[in-house]
Amino acid sequence: MTGRVLVVGSLNADLVVRTARLPAAGETVTGTDLVTEAGGKSSNQAAAAALLGASVVLVGAVGSDAHGRFLLERTRRAGVATAVESLDGVATGVAVITVDRAGENTIVLSPGANAQLTPAHLPAAVFEGAAVLCLALEVPMETVLAAARRGHESGAAVVLNLSPYAAVPDELLRLTDVLLVNEHEAARFLGWGRVDGDWEAVRRSLSGRGIDRAVVTLGGDGAVVLDAGAVTTVPAVPVEVVDTTGCGDAFTGALAHRLAAGDRLVDAARFAALVGAIAATRVGAQASYPTASQVVMVALGYDSK
């Protein structure tokens, strides 16, 4: 049986244009028609976990506008229960995304209602019985910290995705059970220019900051799990990349799902690497996320598309 996953954070309408290549500074390039998709790091993570079979509750805020209604409908369609505030006089968060033919992207974020999510919007009841709490940094830090406090008090494992990167209070680190970062975020967090693959040094430095369990994602090179004094490499799953938008969130949602089911961190990361790889073979963020049966088909060597 899988425990409940609670996600507190952002919902964004993703406005996506695809181009042959990303524009240079000051350059105009021609792209495809504009497409609106469901997004936001926290909404993505919640959808990824729910599609895999987890029981998920998402707490966040949208505007009382068309984008907000669209996001709530799409989130619920993915199987996510919502405790999302619809705020009058505030626009829903929007991400403007450009994706090139290699699947790489650029993103400009307008936080909108996400920036108005306060600790007062966190219902006490949703923390009761949660096995895992997922947090990212697209909502105010005071709200992230308040959620971490309540999650910790309720006995949930707090997974902090340090993205988009920002300096965080020491208290938040103390409340974090698993830190999830990419290689660049890890370097910034540690104050290094780059990591350079010295994972034992990373483990020691993170431990010195009070973080004993962490996952560092490496994109197409897999991930590294730092847990219980050990360093374990999780190899990448080789795929033909179509679009990397939201793949990190697919990884996070899958990791939370398996942690809530009682998996060891390294086993959860292996599963998450497969889910993230599948998402990279498809267009979009939430639209690219696989169901549990599709993951099984891919693991068995069948095409799940």
Coordinates of all heavy atoms in Angstrom, one line a residue, residues 168-244:
V168 N 18.1 29.2 1.2 CA 17.0 28.8 2.1 C 17.5 28.9 3.6 O 18.6 28.8 3.9 CB 16.5 27.4 1.8 CG1 16.0 27.3 0.4 CG2 17.6 26.4 2.0
P169 N 16.5 29.1 4.5 CA 16.9 29.2 5.9 C 17.4 27.9 6.4 O 17.0 26.8 6.0 CB 15.5 29.6 6.6 CG 14.6 30.0 5.5 CD 15.1 29.3 4.2
D170 N 18.3 28.0 7.4 CA 18.9 26.8 8.0 C 17.8 25.9 8.6 O 17.9 24.7 8.6 CB 19.9 27.2 9.1 CG 21.2 27.7 8.5 OD1 21.4 27.5 7.3 OD2 21.9 28.4 9.3
E171 N 16.7 26.6 9.2 CA 15.6 25.8 9.8 C 15.0 24.9 8.7 O 14.7 23.7 9.0 CB 14.6 26.7 10.4 CG 13.5 25.9 11.0 CD 12.3 26.8 11.5 OE1 12.4 28.0 11.4 OE2 11.3 26.2 12.0
L172 N 14.8 25.4 7.5 CA 14.3 24.5 6.4 C 15.1 23.3 6.1 O 14.6 22.2 5.9 CB 14.0 25.4 5.2 CG 13.4 24.6 4.0 CD1 12.1 24.0 4.4 CD2 13.2 25.6 2.8
L173 N 16.4 23.5 6.2 CA 17.3 22.4 5.9 C 17.2 21.4 7.1 O 17.3 20.2 6.8 CB 18.8 22.9 5.8 CG 19.1 23.9 4.7 CD1 20.5 24.3 4.7 CD2 18.8 23.2 3.3
R174 N 17.1 21.9 8.3 CA 16.9 20.9 9.4 C 15.7 20.1 9.3 O 15.6 19.0 9.8 CB 17.0 21.7 10.7 CG 18.3 22.3 11.1 CD 18.4 22.8 12.5 NE 17.4 23.9 12.8 CZ 17.7 25.1 12.7 NH1 18.9 25.5 12.3 NH2 16.8 26.1 13.0
L175 N 14.6 20.7 8.7 CA 13.4 20.0 8.6 C 13.3 19.1 7.4 O 12.3 18.3 7.2 CB 12.2 21.0 8.5 CG 12.0 21.9 9.7 CD1 11.1 23.1 9.4 CD2 11.4 21.1 10.9
T176 N 14.3 19.2 6.5 CA 14.3 18.4 5.3 C 14.9 17.0 5.5 O 16.0 16.8 6.1 CB 15.2 19.1 4.2 OG1 14.6 20.4 3.9 CG2 15.3 18.3 3.0
D177 N 14.1 16.0 5.0 CA 14.6 14.6 5.1 C 15.4 14.2 3.8 O 16.3 13.4 3.9 CB 13.4 13.7 5.3 CG 12.7 13.9 6.6 OD1 13.3 13.5 7.6 OD2 11.6 14.5 6.7
V178 N 14.9 14.7 2.7 CA 15.6 14.4 1.4 C 15.8 15.7 0.6 O 14.8 16.3 0.3 CB 14.9 13.3 0.6 CG1 15.6 13.1 -0.7 CG2 14.8 12.0 1.3
L179 N 17.0 16.1 0.3 CA 17.2 17.2 -0.6 C 17.4 16.8 -2.0 O 18.1 15.8 -2.3 CB 18.5 18.0 -0.1 CG 18.8 19.2 -0.9 CD1 17.8 20.3 -0.6 CD2 20.3 19.7 -0.6
L180 N 16.6 17.4 -2.9 CA 16.7 17.0 -4.3 C 17.1 18.2 -5.1 O 16.5 19.3 -5.1 CB 15.3 16.6 -4.8 CG 15.1 16.1 -6.2 CD1 16.1 15.0 -6.6 CD2 13.7 15.7 -6.5
V181 N 18.3 18.1 -5.8 CA 18.9 19.1 -6.6 C 19.4 18.6 -7.9 O 19.7 17.4 -8.0 CB 20.0 19.9 -5.8 CG1 19.5 20.7 -4.6 CG2 21.1 18.8 -5.3
N182 N 19.6 19.5 -8.9 CA 20.4 19.1 -10.0 C 21.9 19.4 -9.8 O 22.2 20.0 -8.7 CB 19.9 19.6 -11.3 CG 19.9 21.2 -11.4 OD1 20.8 21.8 -10.8 ND2 19.0 21.7 -12.1
E183 N 22.7 19.1 -10.7 CA 24.2 19.3 -10.5 C 24.5 20.8 -10.3 O 25.3 21.1 -9.4 CB 24.9 18.7 -11.7 CG 26.4 18.7 -11.5 CD 27.1 17.9 -12.6 OE1 26.5 17.7 -13.6 OE2 28.3 17.6 -12.4
H184 N 23.8 21.7 -11.0 CA 24.1 23.1 -10.9 C 23.6 23.7 -9.6 O 24.3 24.5 -9.0 CB 23.5 23.8 -12.1 CG 23.9 23.3 -13.4 ND1 25.2 23.4 -13.9 CD2 23.2 22.6 -14.4 CE1 25.2 22.8 -15.1 NE2 24.0 22.3 -15.4
E185 N 22.4 23.2 -9.2 CA 21.9 23.7 -7.9 C 22.8 23.2 -6.7 O 23.0 23.9 -5.8 CB 20.5 23.2 -7.7 CG 19.5 23.8 -8.7 CD 18.2 23.0 -8.9 OE1 18.2 21.9 -8.5 OE2 17.4 23.5 -9.7
A186 N 23.3 22.0 -6.9 CA 24.2 21.4 -5.8 C 25.4 22.3 -5.7 O 25.9 22.7 -4.6 CB 24.6 20.0 -6.1
A187 N 26.0 22.7 -6.8 CA 27.2 23.5 -6.8 C 26.9 24.9 -6.1 O 27.7 25.4 -5.3 CB 27.7 23.7 -8.2
R188 N 25.8 25.5 -6.5 CA 25.4 26.8 -5.9 C 25.1 26.7 -4.4 O 25.6 27.5 -3.6 CB 24.2 27.4 -6.6 CG 24.4 27.8 -8.1 CD 23.2 28.5 -8.7 NE 23.0 29.8 -8.0 CZ 22.0 30.6 -8.3 NH1 21.1 30.3 -9.2 NH2 21.9 31.8 -7.7
F189 N 24.5 25.6 -4.0 CA 24.1 25.4 -2.6 C 25.4 25.3 -1.8 O 25.5 25.8 -0.7 CB 23.3 24.2 -2.5 CG 22.9 23.8 -1.1 CD1 22.0 24.6 -0.4 CD2 23.5 22.7 -0.4 CE1 21.7 24.3 1.0 CE2 23.2 22.4 0.9 CZ 22.3 23.2 1.6
L190 N 26.4 24.6 -2.4 CA 27.7 24.4 -1.6 C 28.7 25.6 -1.8 O 29.7 25.6 -1.1 CB 28.3 23.1 -2.1 CG 27.5 21.8 -1.8 CD1 28.1 20.6 -2.5 CD2 27.4 21.6 -0.3
G191 N 28.3 26.5 -2.7 CA 29.2 27.6 -2.9 C 30.4 27.3 -3.8 O 31.5 27.9 -3.7
W192 N 30.2 26.2 -4.6 CA 31.3 25.8 -5.5 C 31.0 26.3 -6.9 O 29.9 26.6 -7.3 CB 31.4 24.3 -5.6 CG 31.7 23.6 -4.3 CD1 31.9 24.2 -3.0 CD2 31.7 22.2 -4.0 NE1 32.1 23.3 -2.1 CE2 32.0 22.0 -2.6 CE3 31.6 21.1 -4.8 CZ2 32.2 20.8 -2.1 CZ3 31.7 19.8 -4.3 CH2 32.0 19.7 -2.9
G193 N 32.1 26.4 -7.7 CA 31.9 26.8 -9.1 C 31.3 25.7 -9.9 O 30.4 25.9 -10.7
R194 N 31.7 24.5 -9.6 CA 31.1 23.3 -10.2 C 31.4 22.1 -9.3 O 32.2 22.1 -8.5 CB 31.6 23.1 -11.6 CG 33.2 23.0 -11.7 CD 33.7 23.2 -13.1 NE 33.2 22.0 -13.9 CZ 33.4 21.9 -15.2 NH1 34.1 22.9 -15.9 NH2 33.0 20.9 -15.9
V195 N 30.7 21.0 -9.6 CA 30.8 19.8 -8.7 C 31.9 18.9 -9.2 O 32.7 18.4 -8.4 CB 29.5 19.0 -8.7 CG1 29.7 17.7 -8.0 CG2 28.4 19.8 -8.0
D196 N 32.1 18.7 -10.5 CA 33.1 18.0 -11.2 C 33.1 16.5 -10.7 O 34.2 15.8 -10.7 CB 34.5 18.6 -10.8 CG 34.8 19.8 -11.7 OD1 34.3 19.9 -12.8 OD2 35.6 20.6 -11.3
G197 N 32.0 16.0 -10.4 CA 31.9 14.5 -10.2 C 32.5 14.0 -8.9 O 32.6 12.8 -8.7
D198 N 33.0 14.9 -8.0 CA 33.5 14.4 -6.7 C 32.4 14.2 -5.7 O 32.2 15.1 -4.8 CB 34.6 15.4 -6.2 CG 35.4 14.9 -5.0 OD1 35.0 13.9 -4.5 OD2 36.4 15.6 -4.6
W199 N 31.7 13.1 -5.8 CA 30.5 12.9 -5.1 C 30.8 12.7 -3.6 O 29.9 13.0 -2.7 CB 29.7 11.8 -5.7 CG 29.3 12.2 -7.1 CD1 29.6 11.6 -8.2 CD2 28.4 13.3 -7.4 NE1 29.1 12.3 -9.3 CE2 28.4 13.3 -8.9 CE3 27.8 14.3 -6.7 CZ2 27.6 14.3 -9.5 CZ3 27.1 15.3 -7.4 CH2 27.0 15.2 -8.8
E200 N 31.9 12.1 -3.3 CA 32.3 11.9 -1.9 C 32.5 13.3 -1.2 O 32.0 13.5 -0.1 CB 33.5 11.1 -1.7 CG 33.9 10.8 -0.3 CD 32.8 10.1 0.6 OE1 32.0 9.4 0.0 OE2 32.8 10.4 1.8
A201 N 33.1 14.2 -1.9 CA 33.3 15.6 -1.4 C 31.9 16.2 -1.2 O 31.7 17.0 -0.2 CB 34.2 16.4 -2.3
V202 N 31.0 16.0 -2.2 CA 29.7 16.6 -2.1 C 28.9 16.0 -0.9 O 28.3 16.7 -0.1 CB 28.9 16.3 -3.4 CG1 27.4 16.7 -3.2 CG2 29.5 17.0 -4.6
R203 N 29.1 14.7 -0.7 CA 28.4 14.1 0.5 C 28.9 14.7 1.8 O 28.1 15.0 2.6 CB 28.6 12.6 0.4 CG 27.9 11.8 1.5 CD 28.4 10.4 1.7 NE 29.8 10.4 2.2 CZ 30.1 10.7 3.5 NH1 29.1 11.0 4.4 NH2 31.3 10.7 3.9
R204 N 30.2 14.8 1.9 CA 30.7 15.3 3.1 C 30.3 16.8 3.4 O 30.0 17.2 4.5 CB 32.3 15.3 3.1 CG 32.8 13.9 3.2 CD 34.3 13.9 3.5 NE 35.1 14.7 2.6 CZ 35.6 14.2 1.4 NH1 35.5 12.9 1.2 NH2 36.3 15.0 0.6
S205 N 30.3 17.6 2.3 CA 29.9 19.0 2.4 C 28.4 19.1 2.7 O 28.0 20.0 3.6 CB 30.2 19.7 1.1 OG 31.6 19.7 0.9
L206 N 27.6 18.3 2.1 CA 26.1 18.3 2.5 C 25.9 17.9 3.9 O 25.1 18.5 4.6 CB 25.4 17.4 1.5 CG 25.2 17.9 0.1 CD1 24.4 16.9 -0.8 CD2 24.4 19.2 0.0
S207 N 26.6 16.9 4.3 CA 26.5 16.4 5.7 C 26.9 17.6 6.7 O 26.3 17.7 7.7 CB 27.4 15.2 5.9 OG 27.2 14.7 7.3
G208 N 27.9 18.3 6.3 CA 28.3 19.5 7.1 C 27.2 20.5 7.2 O 27.2 21.3 8.2
R209 N 26.3 20.6 6.2 CA 25.2 21.5 6.2 C 24.0 20.9 6.9 O 22.9 21.4 6.9 CB 24.8 21.9 4.8 CG 25.9 22.7 4.1 CD 26.0 24.2 4.6 NE 24.8 24.9 4.5 CZ 24.4 25.6 3.4 NH1 25.2 25.7 2.3 NH2 23.3 26.3 3.5
G210 N 24.1 19.6 7.4 CA 23.0 19.0 8.1 C 22.2 18.1 7.1 O 21.1 17.6 7.5
I211 N 22.6 17.9 5.9 CA 21.9 17.1 4.9 C 22.6 15.8 4.8 O 23.6 15.7 4.2 CB 21.8 17.8 3.6 CG1 21.1 19.2 3.7 CG2 21.1 16.9 2.5 CD1 19.6 19.1 4.1
D212 N 21.9 14.7 5.3 CA 22.5 13.4 5.2 C 21.9 12.5 4.1 O 22.4 11.4 3.8 CB 22.4 12.6 6.5 CG 23.2 13.3 7.6 OD1 24.3 13.7 7.3 OD2 22.7 13.4 8.8
R213 N 20.8 13.0 3.5 CA 20.1 12.2 2.4 C 19.8 13.2 1.3 O 19.1 14.2 1.5 CB 18.8 11.5 2.9 CG 19.0 10.7 4.1 CD 17.6 10.0 4.5 NE 17.3 8.9 3.6 CZ 16.0 8.5 3.4 NH1 15.0 9.2 4.0 NH2 15.8 7.5 2.6
A214 N 20.3 12.9 0.1 CA 20.1 13.8 -1.0 C 20.2 13.0 -2.3 O 20.8 11.9 -2.4 CB 21.2 14.9 -1.0
V215 N 19.5 13.6 -3.3 CA 19.6 13.0 -4.7 C 20.0 14.2 -5.6 O 19.4 15.2 -5.6 CB 18.2 12.5 -5.2 CG1 18.4 11.9 -6.6 CG2 17.8 11.3 -4.2
V216 N 21.0 14.0 -6.4 CA 21.5 14.9 -7.3 C 21.2 14.4 -8.7 O 21.7 13.3 -9.1 CB 23.0 15.2 -7.2 CG1 23.4 16.3 -8.2 CG2 23.4 15.6 -5.8
T217 N 20.3 15.1 -9.5 CA 20.0 14.6 -10.8 C 21.0 15.2 -11.8 O 21.4 16.3 -11.7 CB 18.6 15.0 -11.2 OG1 18.4 16.4 -11.1 CG2 17.6 14.4 -10.2
L218 N 21.3 14.4 -12.8 CA 22.3 14.8 -13.8 C 21.8 14.8 -15.2 O 22.5 14.6 -16.2 CB 23.5 13.8 -13.7 CG 24.1 13.6 -12.3 CD1 25.2 12.5 -12.3 CD2 24.7 14.9 -11.8
G219 N 20.5 14.9 -15.4 CA 19.9 14.9 -16.7 C 20.1 13.6 -17.4 O 19.8 12.5 -16.9
G220 N 20.7 13.7 -18.6 CA 21.0 12.5 -19.4 C 22.1 11.6 -18.9 O 22.3 10.5 -19.4
D221 N 22.7 12.0 -17.8 CA 23.7 11.1 -17.1 C 23.2 10.4 -15.9 O 24.0 9.8 -15.1 CB 25.0 12.0 -16.8 CG 25.7 12.5 -18.0 OD1 25.7 11.8 -19.0 OD2 26.2 13.6 -18.0
G222 N 21.9 10.5 -15.6 CA 21.3 9.7 -14.5 C 21.3 10.6 -13.2 O 20.9 11.7 -13.3
A223 N 21.6 10.0 -12.1 CA 21.5 10.7 -10.8 C 22.5 10.1 -9.9 O 23.1 9.0 -10.1 CB 20.1 10.6 -10.3
V224 N 22.8 10.7 -8.8 CA 23.6 10.2 -7.7 C 22.8 10.3 -6.4 O 22.2 11.4 -6.1 CB 24.9 11.0 -7.6 CG1 25.7 10.6 -6.3 CG2 25.7 10.9 -8.8
V225 N 22.8 9.2 -5.6 CA 22.1 9.2 -4.4 C 23.1 9.2 -3.2 O 24.0 8.4 -3.2 CB 21.2 7.9 -4.3 CG1 20.5 7.8 -2.9 CG2 20.1 7.9 -5.4
L226 N 22.9 10.1 -2.3 CA 23.8 10.2 -1.1 C 22.9 9.9 0.1 O 22.0 10.6 0.4 CB 24.3 11.6 -1.0 CG 24.9 12.2 -2.3 CD1 25.2 13.7 -2.2 CD2 26.1 11.4 -2.8
D227 N 23.2 8.8 0.7 CA 22.3 8.3 1.8 C 23.1 7.4 2.7 O 23.9 6.5 2.3 CB 21.2 7.5 1.2 CG 20.1 7.1 2.2 OD1 20.1 7.7 3.3 OD2 19.3 6.2 1.9
A228 N 22.9 7.6 4.0 CA 23.5 6.8 5.1 C 25.1 6.7 4.9 O 25.6 5.6 5.1 CB 22.9 5.4 5.1
G229 N 25.7 7.8 4.5 CA 27.1 7.8 4.3 C 27.6 7.2 3.1 O 28.8 7.1 2.8
A230 N 26.7 6.7 2.2 CA 27.1 6.0 1.0 C 26.8 6.9 -0.2 O 25.9 7.7 -0.2 CB 26.4 4.7 0.9
V231 N 27.5 6.7 -1.3 CA 27.3 7.3 -2.6 C 27.0 6.2 -3.6 O 27.8 5.3 -3.8 CB 28.6 8.1 -3.1 CG1 28.3 8.7 -4.4 CG2 28.9 9.2 -2.0
T232 N 25.8 6.4 -4.2 CA 25.4 5.4 -5.2 C 25.0 6.1 -6.5 O 24.2 7.0 -6.5 CB 24.1 4.6 -4.7 OG1 24.4 4.0 -3.5 CG2 23.8 3.5 -5.7
T233 N 25.6 5.6 -7.6 CA 25.3 6.2 -8.9 C 24.1 5.5 -9.5 O 24.0 4.2 -9.5 CB 26.5 6.0 -9.9 OG1 27.6 6.7 -9.4 CG2 26.1 6.6 -11.3
V234 N 23.1 6.2 -10.0 CA 21.9 5.7 -10.7 C 22.1 6.0 -12.2 O 22.1 7.1 -12.6 CB 20.6 6.3 -10.2 CG1 19.4 5.8 -11.0 CG2 20.4 6.0 -8.7
P235 N 22.3 5.0 -13.0 CA 22.6 5.2 -14.4 C 21.4 5.8 -15.1 O 20.2 5.5 -14.7 CB 23.0 3.8 -15.0 CG 22.4 2.9 -14.0 CD 22.4 3.5 -12.7
A236 N 21.6 6.5 -16.2 CA 20.5 7.1 -17.0 C 19.9 6.0 -17.8 O 20.5 4.9 -18.1 CB 21.1 8.1 -17.9
V237 N 18.6 6.2 -18.1 CA 17.9 5.2 -19.0 C 18.0 5.8 -20.4 O 17.5 6.9 -20.7 CB 16.4 5.1 -18.6 CG1 15.7 4.2 -19.6 CG2 16.3 4.6 -17.2
P238 N 18.7 5.2 -21.4 CA 18.9 5.8 -22.7 C 17.6 5.9 -23.5 O 16.9 4.9 -23.6 CB 19.9 4.8 -23.4 CG 19.7 3.5 -22.6 CD 19.3 3.8 -21.2
V239 N 17.3 7.1 -23.9 CA 16.1 7.3 -24.7 C 16.4 8.3 -25.8 O 17.4 9.0 -25.7 CB 14.9 7.8 -23.8 CG1 14.5 6.8 -22.8 CG2 15.3 9.2 -23.1
E240 N 15.5 8.5 -26.8 CA 15.6 9.5 -27.8 C 14.8 10.7 -27.2 O 13.6 10.7 -27.1 CB 15.0 9.0 -29.1 CG 15.1 10.1 -30.2 CD 14.6 9.5 -31.5 OE1 14.5 8.3 -31.7 OE2 14.3 10.4 -32.4
V241 N 15.5 11.8 -26.9 CA 14.9 12.9 -26.2 C 14.1 13.7 -27.2 O 14.5 14.1 -28.3 CB 15.9 13.8 -25.6 CG1 15.3 15.1 -25.0 CG2 16.7 13.0 -24.4
V242 N 12.8 14.1 -26.8 CA 11.9 14.9 -27.6 C 11.7 16.2 -26.9 O 11.8 17.3 -27.6 CB 10.6 14.2 -27.8 CG1 9.6 15.1 -28.5 CG2 10.8 12.9 -28.7
D243 N 11.5 16.2 -25.6 CA 11.2 17.5 -24.9 C 11.6 17.2 -23.4 O 11.0 16.3 -22.8 CB 9.7 17.8 -25.1 CG 9.4 19.1 -24.4 OD1 10.2 19.8 -23.8 OD2 8.2 19.5 -24.5
T244 N 12.5 18.1 -22.9 CA 12.9 17.9 -21.5 C 12.0 18.7 -20.5 O 12.2 18.6 -19.3 CB 14.3 18.3 -21.3 OG1 14.5 19.7 -21.6 CG2 15.2 17.4 -22.1

